Each structure stands twice: as C-alpha cells, then as structure tokens.
Amino acid sequence: MTAAQQAQRDHLLRLFTHVHWANNEILLALQGAEALPEKLVTLFGHLLSAEKVWLERLNGRDSSALNIWPLTRFEDCGQLVRDNHEGYLSFLSPLDDAGLNTAVSYRTSKGILFSTTILDILSHVALHGSYHRGQISSYLRLEGHEPVNTDYITFTRLESYEG
C-alpha cells in the first residue's frame, strides 16, 4: 500500500471513529433524558439501522429484510452502536485505494438496483449520520434538554486534548 493509500484509509478509519464517538454522545444524551420522546428514538433507530443496512451491502449481503425505519426499542440502540462500529472497522481495515473505488451493487429499500463505489457509500454513511444527529440535537433543545455537539471538529479537538 502506498503512503497516499494508507493516508486515505487512515482518514476513513478516523472518520468512522468519529461516527462511533458521535453515536455514543447521542446515546448518552438520550439515556440522560427524563422523558424520551418517541421521535428521538425513531430518528436514532433510523440512523443506526441505515448504518447497518449499508454495512450489509458493503459486505455483499442481502439487506432487503432490514427496515431502515424500524420500530426501535431504545434498549437495543447501544448494542447496535457497538456492532456497527466493529463492523465498519473490520470492513475498513484491509481496504486500499483500489478497494475504495470498487463498485458495490445493491438494491434499495424500494427494490431498485444501483451500483455505487465503496468510497461514496462510506461518505454517505458518515454524512447521513451527521444529518440525523443534528436533527436529534434540535429535538432535544425543543424538549428542554441540552443539544449534543457531535461536530467532527469537536471530536478532533478532544483527540488532540486527550492525546
């Protein structure tokens, strides 16, 4: 693996470490909420389920039985956060530049066949999660709770501070 390939893979590993950190921050905030509105559990369940669906697709497995808008029990979210993190790290670790540009064929939740590169899928997963974590934080504020700062730059500052 070239230095450039190593740098790209390392950046993706760091990005998905951020995804895990951010999901944990949301999980902790929701665990600390006295009354947990259903819309927050629904959004968080969707975010985590979508991560799982994409992981299944990346690994060449059929994801058609997985619901991206499941009726999630909040108690199951912590395990899904951990499972997704372990799955993405396992998937990312052996990848190189050529692997990132490999196209993955899959069917959407509506059954439509698509083919997308691994790099684009990974970028989508990270950005999709950021979008919904922002929604969750907005809802938390509306419910009178402290919103959660899951910004990537906050994560990098914590890394620098802790390291």
Side-chain angles (χ1 to χ4, degrees), residues 53-114:
V53 165
W54 282 111
L55 186 57
E56 292 299 300
R57 292 171 178 169
L58 286 166
N59 283 301
R61 296 188 290 258
D62 180 17
S63 65
S64 63
L66 299 175
N67 188 345
I68 60 170
W69 285 99
L71 298 173
T72 306
R73 290 178 345 118
F74 182 67
E75 297 77 22
D76 298 332
C77 289
Q79 187 62 50
L80 196 48
V81 166
R82 290 184 292 280
D83 290 348
N84 286 347
H85 178 61
E86 290 171 11
Y88 277 100
L89 290 184
S90 293
F91 180 81
L92 284 165
S93 293
L95 278 181
D96 60 17
D97 204 33
L100 289 170
N101 291 309
T102 300
V104 173
S105 294
Y106 58 92
R107 290 198 179 275
T108 66
S109 58
K110 294 181 176 158
I112 302 168
L113 183 63
F114 279 96

Side-chain angles (χ1 to χ4, degrees), residues 18-34 36 40-41 43-45 47-48 51 72-85 129 132-134 136-137 140 145-150:
H18 164 261
V19 166
H20 180 63
W21 169 81
N23 285 344
N24 269 320
E25 291 295 302
I26 293 294
L27 183 65
L28 290 171
L30 295 180
Q31 285 171 337
E34 291 176 20
L36 197 56
L40 295 177
V41 176
L43 273 174
F44 195 43
L47 182 164
L48 298 173
E51 286 179 3
T72 306
R73 290 178 345 118
F74 182 67
E75 297 77 22
D76 298 332
C77 289
Q79 187 62 50
L80 196 48
V81 166
R82 290 184 292 280
D83 290 348
N84 286 347
H85 178 61
H132 286 302
R133 284 187 293 273
I136 292 167
S137 283
L140 282 169
H145 300 284
E146 189 68 28
V148 184
N149 181 349
T150 57

Side-chain angles (χ1 to χ4, degrees), residues 105-125:
S105 294
Y106 58 92
R107 290 198 179 275
T108 66
S109 58
K110 294 181 176 158
I112 302 168
L113 183 63
F114 279 96
S115 185
T116 307
T117 66
I118 289 172
L119 183 57
D120 284 340
I121 290 171
L122 293 171
S123 298
H124 167 72
V125 171

